[in-house]
């Protein structure tokens, strides 16, 4: 019960925090260096892009983590897609039978274009 003319005190509500927006930011940041591991950073970057978009659409969270997560995830997806298309174009060039008619020529192309690939001998 309050006296007339007085209001009861209610503490301010805690700031809204969205796990989706924070998860998007973390996955976007993890996705960028994850690209160096055989382009495995594409997976968390795609998930981060979806989570950040969902967090923005719902609008129940702070905006900046969702936007930052979308930006980091988007950069990782674009860089990963460009790297993947470049690698696949090089592989397709080495697999072209009109340019490299025999297996030895194709193997030489693979060794030239992808110096990090080594032929392993079975024990």
């Amino acid at each position: 019960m309050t006296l007339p003319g007085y209001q009861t005190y209610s503490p301010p509500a805690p700031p809204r925090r969205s796990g989706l927006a924070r998860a998007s930011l973390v996955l976007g940041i993890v996705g960028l260096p994850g690209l160096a591991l055989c382009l495995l950073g594409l997976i968390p970057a795609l998930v981060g892009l979806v989570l950040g978009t969902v967090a923005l659409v719902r609008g129940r969270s702070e905006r900046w983590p969702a936007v930052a997560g979308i930006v980091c995830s988007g950069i990782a997806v674009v860089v990963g897609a460009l790297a993947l298309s470049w690698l696949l174009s090089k592989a397709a060039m080495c697999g072209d039978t009109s340019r490299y008619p025999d297996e030895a020529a194709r193997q030489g192309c693979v060794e030239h274009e992808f110096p990090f690939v080594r032929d392993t001998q079975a024990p």
Side-chain angles (χ1 to χ4, degrees):
M1 183 167 149
T2 60
L3 295 175
Y6 291 98
Q7 295 180 353
T8 59
Y9 173 74
S10 60
R16 291 182 174 177
R17 293 191 180 177
S18 171
L20 292 177
R22 304 265 181 214
S24 170
L25 181 60
V26 168
L27 289 173
I29 292 171
V30 166
L32 288 169
L35 292 174
L37 299 171
C38 298
L39 299 176
L40 289 178
L42 278 173
I43 297 167
L46 287 171
V47 173
L49 195 63
V50 170
L51 291 179
T53 305
V54 169
L56 273 182
V57 169
R58 285 187 181 175
R60 297 180 189 158
S61 66
E62 300 171 344
R63 272 184 80 80
W64 79 265
V67 171
I70 289 173
V71 168
C72 288
S73 297
I75 290 171
V77 167
V78 167
V79 169
L82 289 174
L84 186 62
S85 67
W86 179 74
L87 286 171
L88 289 176
S89 70
K90 292 288 186 181
M93 181 184 71
C94 288
D96 186 12
T97 56
S98 64
R99 183 179 278 178
Y100 302 104
D102 59 349
E103 183 64 33
R106 285 192 291 277
Q107 184 65 29
C109 175
V110 169
E111 290 173 1
H112 180 301
E113 295 295 330
F114 303 103
F116 50 87
V117 175
R118 295 183 192 153
D119 188 21
T120 58
Q121 301 294 328

